Amino acid sequence: MPSIFTKIVNGEIPSYKIDEDENYFAFLDINPLAKGHTLVIPKKEIDYIFDMDDAMHAGLWNFAKKISHAIEKAVPCKRIGIAVIGLEVPHVHIHLIPINKVSDMNFAMPKLQLSKEEFEETAEKIKKQLS
Ligand code: 5GP
């Protein structure tokens, strides 16, 4: 069965898309730790990041780097925190999170409740910084 992220890539489930290319896709996390919390994934469905082949793995990080620069221009923050967890969704994803202090990376914290408009506005701001 396709993962929820494959369904997002295929447009079967809606997402606040940031960017995509032939191999990778970036979209806002639906339960964000911060405004701008973005997930970067390979389109190819692989569960565990260290099972990726070297080229695909390196490409994922290069794509994440590009997206991170756009997020930090769009969302005021000290830097972009990075996490790879993958306990909930078995499809490789890198969390990119605007942070100001170490506790901003605490996944046990309550997530933000954002409106559709807030998600859309955040996605637009980040997308603008890509072009
Ligand atoms: P992890 O697998 O790294 O523990 O967490 C998976 C992440 O995917 C969570 O932060 C969760 O909010 C996010 N997520 C799960 N389902 C969806 C979804 O349908 N849409 C989006 N945009 N994010 C999701």
Side-chain angles (χ1 to χ4, degrees), residues 4-5 8 13-16 27-32 37 39 84-91 93 95 107 111:
I4 196 149
F5 291 168
I8 285 175
I13 291 178
S15 70
Y16 300 99
F27 56 106
L28 295 180
D29 193 305
I30 206 68
N31 300 303
H37 181 165
L39 300 175
V84 177
I85 303 173
L87 291 173
E88 184 187 325
V89 179
H91 184 145
H93 50 286
H95 294 261
F107 278 79
K111 307 302 184 295

Side-chain angles (χ1 to χ4, degrees), residues 81-126:
I82 300 160
V84 177
I85 303 173
L87 291 173
E88 184 187 325
V89 179
H91 184 145
V92 170
H93 50 286
I94 299 173
H95 294 261
L96 303 175
I97 306 167
I99 57 169
N100 294 295
K101 53 189 187 310
V102 68
S103 57
D104 292 341
M105 290 294 293
N106 182 355
F107 278 79
M109 291 286 282
K111 307 302 184 295
L112 295 184
Q113 301 290 321
L114 300 181
S115 66
K116 185 173 184 288
E117 288 72 28
E118 286 175 300
F119 275 116
E120 283 170 353
E121 186 196 11
T122 305
E124 279 314 309
K125 274 190 193 164
I126 299 170

